[in-house]
Amino acid sequence: MTTLSPPRRGSAPAHPPPRYRRPLGLTRESWLQYGVLLLLAVLVLAPVVPTLYQSFLDRPLYEAGGVLGAGNYVRLFTEAGFGRVVLNTALFAGLTTVLSLLIAVPMAVIVVRTKLPGGRVFAAAMQWPFFISSLILGFGWITMYGPAGFVSVEVRRVLGFLPWDLYTIPGMALTEAVALAPIVYTFCANALRQSDASLEAAAQVCGAGPLRVLRSVILPLLRPPVVYSSILVISMSVETLSVPLLFGQPVGIDVFSTFLYRNGLQSINPDYGVLGAASAIILVVTITLVALQAKLLKNAQRFVSVRGKATRPRPLDLGWLKWISAAAIAFYVVMGALIPIGGLVFRSFTQVFTPLQSPFKSLTGDNYERIFTYPVYVQSIVNSLLVAAIGAVLVSVLSLAAVMVARRSSFRFGRAVEYLALAPQAMPGIIVGIGLFWALAFAPFGLGSLLQGTLWVLIIGFGLRALPSGFGSISPSIMQIGRELDNAARVSGADWVRTFTRILAALLRPAFAGALILTFVTLLKEYSPAVFLASADTNIIGTTMLELWVQGNTGSVAALASLQIAITATFVGLAGLLLKGRHQKADDNA
Amino acid sequence: MPEVKVAHLSKRFGDNAVLRDISFTIADGEFFTLLGPSGCGKSTTLACIAGLEQPTSGSIAVGAATFVDAGTFVPPEGRNLGMVFQSYALWPHMTVAQNLAMPLKIRKVDRREQDTLITEALGKVGLAELRDRYPHQLSGGQQQRVALARALVYSPGVLLLDEPLSNLDAKLRDQARAWLKRLQTELGITTVYVTHDQEEALALSDRIAVMSKGDMVQIGAPEEIYERPATAEVAAFVGRCNFLTGTATGPREVRLDCTGQAVAVPGTAVTAGTRVTVAIRPERLEILPPGRTAPADVNVLTAQVLTSSYVGARHEYDLRLGDHVSEAETSRPGLAGEVTLVAEPAAFLLYPTTDALPQDVEALITIAQ
Ligand SMILES: Nc1ncnc2c1ncn2[C@@H]1O[C@H](COP(=O)(O)OP(=O)(O)OP(=O)(O)O)[C@@H](O)[C@H]1O
Ligand SMILES: [Mg+2]
């Protein structure tokens, strides 16, 4: 601190800050921020607006001379029998919610708060739905527990009758609940981990037994996550297509999504007005549910932040009950996921799959061979990979931009950007499909015919659905980066854009990689918008599986499903290794 | 180096008015401190100068450049200021040298000059040998100095410091304070310093602005702030102070509530009968050694020693003065029982009675009879 340059007195700064260009009088950041807002608005509104418009129009929206009116809504409830559909959906969603709570809440308490043999394994096992789409789970359940399923046949042989029927609303609800239980589990487990263990310790000191502690201390803690995840499960089961399509369709049980599927795809002369009206009503329901969720989550966060630091919970000892608990959880994992998926994979290697004849006798590679000999099937795998890869990059970039604008800028419409990015949560995949289909008919500059039947439409539709997960995975990471880091860059002379490229981009790299992986897997599993959007050339694994399923070609369905699971697992494994390697390198550098 | 002019600055978040019509001018090369309790709006004021917050109204100018005025808002990157943040905000993925190079790269300074400037700036803060370390490999004190070097490396017009010493431990803080003062004097850079530590403010500043709940209460040199606080609130915040309530009985006399005794005070314009608050610093309450008589023109009060505490260089006594607890400070140890206090009339500060102290503090210093 000895060599001091003489203080520079006078006017001109020694190193003036750079001048940034302002095209048309707007700063670079304004251009970018308005750009993101506009892009999101177009993407989100593209499927919604035509749908709403169609719902009030007396003829298909591409025909001239349409007249607006409420006639579609009247027809929906009279001729089309939508009342029954509403009832079915309510029953299905309600039952799914109850069942998934029954499965997941006790499991969360037991895994997080008690000494459980193999607790870590169970906690990890709850990740399984990340790798397996509900469509594949549905195939697996039918393969094992369906009327002609492997397990069913065996049970019927032993008992003389089959005590369950999968092709009913309770059967559908049970399968869906098995698929959604991990979501409830995650919310409850997090709440339990964060909660203050001293409450429990206090109760234990007062002489309360383990069961009493559970009842009077732990369960009340669970109210917020239970309420929140219930709403989440309701909204997810309201929009789901897979299980109702596979289980309900053959016996004529219609819910929201299959009603649209049947009226839009399977009827020879689809009534677009009724389709639009049904979509509009479903949208109102899902938007309400998602808005409710957002509100509850906000309250829940307030609740958590008040509580402050958590102490490490001391697990309760349930005594002999813990073995029963462990067995119950194992039963869920094994019967719910392991056997159906394992069975499906096994099925893909056999000719006939029934307990009446040892499946080992008919081991074969035919199912795979069929897929690899027909170019259309190979094409659908390639298409799936293309959509997932390109889509993951685009969605992650857009999510990152949206998070930056919503959370890290003084942009006037930052809030709107956030709402737009999260809005697709409330848009069922099948409605995204129908809506985009109609939007293409509307699109200016011949954009419609340019995109129609290309993979780009699928990328747009799937990407839209994956946007909330992308946003949700990046947003917490950005909140962890202190705002003063940005401010320091701004004061040093970097504008908003350069602050991002020079500082935040590097710090957000891990979060971005995480978003890439998450969206890739999400996009690979997605298929519901494609049932309306895919053409013969742009089938993806999901739509091809549905097609093969309808043809009764279950062996090939099983093979495709196994391939999809294998691709997902390989990708996640490789990505994990790659990220780990990078981390280690970074640590060595540091 | 230019002067900083802030005029009628207001800032509201929603309907929460955080700054209310604040004006001040900082002279060229001055060390100017914003002092006030937590949440009073110091950081917000600094952020407005830096351009990180957009004021609701008011104007800010540095030298000839207007940064904020009706219809004008220069973004932070256009202001050429240097700023040190409370958390230091060193970019964690860059070495010390890269941190310092960033503002220079942005300014397109050529490589060779960059290197000289970085070496020079790191030399100033005495960290030349640490240029290739990452921030997490530095101690808190070193990080703070790197942050300062980064703020100085491009010779900014004004240096803004937001509680730069608050993350250091007590001893380091004292050293850093002296060092910072020296550096600032040597560089002669106009500096705006934010702190809630009154000792720090008194020791460092050329002038201090005391803020309270979004208002600027007093601006003045450290001695002025300490000796002649403009309000009871300033007196309470800057240094320690005894507050006694009473009623004016004449132009130079107040009858204290606690003892019923009349004391002579400096001349003021209060009319007889008004309620007033009398404030006196603990070190101005002298404890008369036994066997000495007080001079004729000073106030004499009788008090009982409640507790005494030894704080190193001096002794602090809690005294009962009527129904009130007061503090006195002296170098004399071992006082107990009844003592005689003397206070010059000039030592008393007179304020119109307001709620100078929060109720709970009031309760603490009142003794039930
Ligand atoms: N972005 C914001 N939105 C709403 N209120 C804010 C925001 N930033 C600051 N405030 C409020 O403005 C007031 C002043 O904040 P500021 O950070 O300027 O205080 P401070 O004097 O620096 O306090 P401290 O010493 O604790 O840093 C506080 O009451 C704070 O709650
Ligand atoms: Mg502050």
Side-chain angles (χ1 to χ4, degrees):
Chain A
M1 58 189 101
T2 42
T3 56
L4 286 170
S5 57
R8 272 176 259 262
R9 296 201 167 261
S11 49
H15 306 287
R19 301 194 147 270
Y20 291 96
R21 275 196 292 158
R22 299 167 64 104
L24 299 180
L26 275 183
T27 54
R28 303 201 284 182
E29 66 199 64
S30 300
W31 279 104
L32 227 127
Q33 289 161 356
Y34 278 105
V36 169
L37 177 70
L38 194 73
L39 180 61
L40 284 173
V42 168
L43 281 175
V44 169
L45 294 181
V48 175
V49 172
T51 304
L52 293 181
Y53 182 52
Q54 175 68 77
S55 78
F56 291 105
L57 212 59
D58 67 342
R59 66 197 65 188
L61 80 180
Y62 47 77
E63 274 177 25
V67 178
L68 291 174
N72 296 328
Y73 288 91
V74 175
R75 262 210 328 287
L76 181 64
F77 282 97
T78 52
E79 290 164 40
F82 196 61
R84 178 80 227 168
V85 175
V86 172
L87 195 68
N88 283 344
T89 311
L91 272 175
F92 171 64
L95 205 53
T96 303
T97 310
V98 171
L99 288 173
S100 56
L101 289 178
L102 283 178
I103 297 171
V105 175
M107 200 183 309
V109 173
I110 288 165
V111 170
V112 176
R113 279 307 173 85
T114 70
K115 292 186 181 125
L116 183 73
R120 271 161 174 256
V121 178
F122 287 128
M126 292 308 278
Q127 306 284 327
W128 68 264
F130 179 67
F131 297 90
I132 288 146
S133 74
S134 58
L135 186 66
I136 291 180
L137 185 74
F139 290 139
W141 271 64
I142 295 179
T143 306
M144 301 315 282
Y145 312 125
F150 194 91
V151 173
S152 306
V153 170
E154 183 66 15
V155 167
R156 197 181 286 121
R157 199 172 60 83
V158 174
L159 296 181
F161 69 103
L162 190 60
W164 68 78
D165 183 3
L166 218 49
Y167 290 5
T168 55
I169 289 184
M172 286 156 57
L174 180 63
T175 316
E176 193 65 32
V178 164
L180 296 181
I183 293 176
V184 183
Y185 171 87
T186 308
F187 280 99
C188 293
N190 283 345
L192 287 171
R193 272 192 208 104
Q194 281 168 11
S195 71
D196 194 351
S198 51
L199 290 176
E200 265 163 73
Q204 273 171 317
V205 171
C206 295
L211 284 178
R212 197 180 170 88
V213 171
L214 276 182
R215 206 176 59 232
S216 56
V217 183
I218 297 183
L219 289 187
L221 272 176
L222 281 173
R223 243 202 28 215
V226 163
V227 173
Y228 176 73
S229 53
S230 304
I231 306 286
L232 191 63
V233 168
I234 292 175
S235 68
M236 291 179 85
S237 44
V238 159
E239 66 153 306
T240 185
L241 175 66
S242 313
V243 168
L245 185 62
L246 299 180
F247 296 19
Q249 200 69 345
V251 291
I253 303 174
D254 263 346
V255 296
F256 281 170
S257 54
T258 47
F259 177 85
L260 298 179
Y261 185 85
R262 193 163 50 76
N263 282 284
L265 276 184
Q266 292 182 331
S267 90
I268 308 148
N269 192 8
D271 184 337
Y272 279 13
V274 162
L275 211 54
S279 303
I281 290 177
I282 297 168
L283 269 179
V284 170
V285 173
T286 50
I287 289 171
T288 311
L289 286 169
V290 167
L292 196 63
Q293 253 173 64
K295 200 172 145 54
L296 284 173
L297 190 62
K298 225 177 187 174
N299 292 346
Q301 274 164 347
R302 201 170 300 148
F303 184 57
V304 167
S305 63
V306 171
R307 251 194 324 244
K309 266 228 162 85
T311 42
R312 190 93 210 101
R314 200 166 65 84
L316 297 173
D317 198 338
L318 289 183
W320 56 271
L321 261 177
K322 72 181 165 202
W323 296 106
I324 295 185
S325 318
I329 299 175
F331 182 80
Y332 158 79
V333 175
V334 171
M335 298 304 281
L338 212 57
I339 287 190
I341 300 305
L344 195 65
V345 174
F346 195 7
R347 171 75 186 87
S348 71
F349 290 105
T350 61
Q351 205 80 61
V352 250
F353 193 59
T354 152
L356 306 178
Q357 175 200 333
S358 166
F360 289 100
K361 277 197 186 140
S362 65
L363 281 185
T364 171
D366 282 359
N367 296 318
Y368 290 91
E369 207 181 310
R370 177 152 350 100
I371 284 167
F372 286 112
T373 45
Y374 287 97
V376 274
Y377 299 150
V378 178
Q379 188 61 45
S380 72
I381 297 175
V382 174
N383 286 346
S384 272
L385 286 173
L386 278 176
V387 169
I390 300 173
V393 173
L394 294 180
V395 171
S396 302
V397 168
L398 185 57
S399 302
L400 182 60
V403 171
M404 278 297 300
V405 174
R407 294 279 156 86
R408 269 317 227 267
S409 79
S410 48
F411 186 46
R412 199 149 22 124
F413 304 110
R415 255 301 157 73
V417 166
E418 176 167 355
Y419 286 140
L420 282 172
L422 294 176
Q425 266 179 48
M427 294 158 66
I430 195 148
I431 293 186
V432 168
I434 299 175
L436 281 180
F437 181 73
W438 284 332
L440 287 181
F442 252 155
F445 318 121
L447 217 57
S449 49
L450 207 68
L451 288 174
Q452 192 100 57
T454 65
L455 281 182
W456 290 106
V457 198
L458 297 189
I459 291 172
I460 293 171
F462 288 21
L464 193 57
R465 294 259 301 160
L467 193 58
S469 356
F471 189 95
S473 85
I474 295 179
S475 163
S477 317
I478 223 167
M479 304 301 263
Q480 276 172 6
I481 299 175
R483 202 142 188 166
E484 292 196 339
L485 292 182
D486 308 28
N487 288 345
R490 294 300 297 271
V491 174
S492 312
D495 68 347
W496 187 78
V497 177
R498 197 172 281 182
T499 299
F500 174 76
T501 54
R502 288 282 169 94
I503 306 293
L504 288 177
L507 299 176
L508 283 171
R509 213 171 285 150
F512 186 74
L516 275 178
I517 297 174
L518 178 71
T519 48
F520 181 88
V521 173
T522 310
L523 290 167
L524 196 67
K525 290 188 303 189
E526 181 65 277
Y527 75 96
S528 52
V531 297
F532 274 94
L533 292 173
S535 65
D537 297 332
T538 60
N539 267 319
I540 49 151
I541 295 180
T543 50
T544 303
M545 282 197 292
L546 274 179
E547 218 168 81
L548 288 166
W549 185 258
V550 173
Q551 293 164 13
N553 209 333
T554 48
S556 298
V557 171
L560 264 179
S562 307
L563 283 172
Q564 185 179 319
I565 297 171
I567 293 171
T568 311
T570 314
F571 174 80
V572 173
L574 282 180
L577 278 181
L578 216 68
L579 282 185
K580 213 183 210 166
R582 283 193 73 105
H583 271 296
Q584 251 146 25
K585 254 210 322 262
D587 286 347
D588 294 344
N589 278 346
Chain B
M1 246 153 264
E3 61 171 25
V4 179
K5 266 205 199 96
V6 173
H8 306 295
L9 187 72
S10 296
K11 173 75 188 170
R12 30 177 69 250
F13 290 106
D15 33 321
N16 174 20
V18 174
L19 298 178
R20 270 176 251 138
D21 196 29
I22 285 184
S23 302
F24 55 87
T25 302
I26 306 172
D28 184 3
E30 192 174 24
F31 196 116
F32 188 84
T33 299
L34 297 170
L35 175 66
S38 185
C40 69
K42 310 175 297 277
S43 297
T44 309
T45 310
L46 204 67
C48 286
I49 298 177
L52 298 168
E53 293 282 3
Q54 187 155 7
T56 314
S57 64
S59 68
I60 300 173
V62 171
T66 302
F67 288 165
V68 179
D69 208 341
T72 313
F73 180 78
V74 178
E77 61 268 21
R79 299 192 179 194
N80 201 38
L81 307 173
M83 184 157 179
V84 176
F85 296 84
Q86 188 170 1
S87 66
Y88 310 140
L90 297 177
W91 300 306
H93 59 298
M94 297 178 175
T95 62
V96 168
Q98 286 166 342
N99 262 281
L100 267 68
M102 242 288 283
L104 299 174
K105 277 190 193 150
I106 292 172
R107 287 170 165 72
K108 305 216 164 60
V109 175
D110 79 68
R111 261 195 186 281
R112 215 128 22 84
E113 198 186 348
Q114 269 184 31
D115 216 54
T116 354
L117 287 172
I118 292 171
T119 312
E120 190 183 328
L122 284 176
K124 275 178 207 163
V125 300
L127 289 178
E129 69 285 5
L130 298 185
R131 52 185 297 149
D132 293 322
R133 295 257 192 105
Y134 281 90
H136 68 92
Q137 297 166 321
L138 301 176
S139 74
Q142 290 167 336
Q143 288 183 22
Q144 180 253 334
R145 284 189 279 164
V146 172
L148 192 62
R150 187 181 64 186
L152 290 172
V153 70
Y154 48 95
S155 317
V158 178
L159 182 60
L160 309 175
L161 305 162
D162 191 354
E163 311 211 17
L165 305 184
S166 65
N167 283 342
L168 304 180
D169 63 50
K171 184 144 180 68
L172 199 56
R173 193 155 56 218
D174 281 348
Q175 293 169 356
R177 188 193 294 172
W179 170 82
L180 185 65
K181 178 70 181 164
R182 227 166 31 237
L183 186 68
Q184 193 269 340
T185 322
E186 280 171 284
L187 292 178
I189 185 170
T190 312
T191 302
V192 189
Y193 189 91
V194 162
T195 183
H196 63 254
D197 182 336
Q198 38 104 12
E199 237 177 273
E200 209 168 278
L202 293 172
L204 283 170
S205 322
D206 294 325
R207 276 194 308 149
I208 298 173
V210 184
M211 297 181 66
S212 163
K213 299 187 197 108
D215 291 311
M216 190 124 284
V217 201
Q218 187 178 10
I219 303 180
E223 308 79 46
E224 194 183 334
I225 300 274
Y226 190 81
E227 307 281 344
R228 293 184 297 283
T231 67
E233 211 177 355
V234 176
F237 187 69
V238 181
R240 289 179 311 152
C241 210
N242 296 307
F243 290 94
L244 304 166
T245 52
T247 312
T249 49
R252 289 168 178 275
E253 202 184 54
V254 170
R255 183 173 300 284
L256 298 178
D257 291 345
C258 54
T259 56
Q261 186 185 355
V263 292
V265 296
T268 48
V270 290
T271 49
T274 8
R275 302 280 302 153
V276 292
T277 297
V278 177
I280 184 164
R281 301 275 184 202
E283 71 272 13
R284 302 293 295 269
L285 264 185
E286 227 175 296
I287 300 176
L288 202 66
R292 285 260 302 273
T293 43
D297 53 348
V298 299
N299 296 302
V300 179
L301 300 161
T302 311
Q304 286 83 40
V305 174
L306 292 171
T307 57
S308 70
S309 36
Y310 175 57
V311 290
R314 53 192 199 281
H315 293 264
E316 291 174 0
Y317 291 95
D318 268 7
L319 307 167
R320 173 210 284 259
L321 203 58
D323 65 350
H324 230 69
V325 182
S326 295
E327 284 182 356
E329 230 179 77
T330 159
S331 54
R332 303 213 339 259
L335 296 177
E338 194 158 286
V339 290
T340 309
L341 302 172
V342 292
E344 288 176 52
F348 285 109
L349 304 161
L350 225 60
Y351 301 105
T353 291
T354 48
D355 40 352
L357 292 176
Q359 292 257 292
D360 49 342
V361 180
E362 196 73 55
L364 266 182
I365 60 168
T366 306
I367 304 172
Q369 292 289 311

